[in-house]
Amino acid sequence: MESKLRELIGLPNVWLFVKSSNGWLKNVEILDVNYDTVTFRYEHESDVENRVWEKTTRIDNIAEIEVRLLTLPRGDKQVQEIKNRLSKLLEQEER
């Protein structure tokens, strides 16, 4: 778990399931990982305000990690355009 958290430092779209909170923290920004703790920042929105929190917790308090890799719109035309662009990028990398 420690090595995976280190890989995700500074990357977007990371969700953590925190046991002590019994829930998911969405779109966290992992700031630091030590041998037994992880420090991250996350935002909580309510009807009247947005709060930004920074939390340090034990690594063994993290039950799961999820990373959103890709989001595609539902419209067929948009999806096809994105697929075409991705295919072209992959072809360019292979050359």
Side-chain angles (χ1 to χ4, degrees):
M1 185 71 77
E2 177 186 351
S3 62
K4 184 61 177 178
L5 288 166
R6 282 187 192 281
E7 287 176 29
L8 297 172
I9 290 175
L11 295 180
N13 304 318
V14 176
W15 292 21
L16 299 177
F17 189 91
V18 180
K19 294 177 192 176
S20 61
S21 302
N22 195 29
W24 287 97
L25 296 179
K26 302 174 184 179
N27 297 317
V28 303
E29 177 187 359
I30 298 175
L31 303 172
D32 188 38
V33 180
N34 293 318
Y35 72 98
D36 64 343
T37 62
V38 58
T39 301
F40 55 91
R41 191 173 291 145
Y42 65 98
E43 189 171 329
H44 175 75
E45 296 180 17
S46 71
D47 291 338
V48 293
E49 63 187 1
N50 289 350
R51 297 178 185 166
V52 177
W53 297 88
E54 188 169 300
K55 180 179 181 84
T56 299
T57 190
R58 296 176 324 278
I59 290 176
D60 63 2
N61 192 31
I62 306 297
E64 293 183 53
I65 301 170
E66 288 193 3
V67 180
R68 185 179 67 215
L69 300 176
L70 182 64
T71 302
L72 293 175
R74 290 183 170 248
D76 291 335
K77 182 179 178 185
Q78 288 178 317
V79 170
Q80 192 56 49
E81 287 175 8
I82 291 172
K83 285 180 181 178
N84 290 341
R85 279 189 262 155
L86 288 173
S87 294
K88 287 178 185 176
L89 287 172
L90 289 172
E91 287 173 9
Q92 288 175 357
E93 282 189 13
E94 291 175 355
R95 293 179 191 163

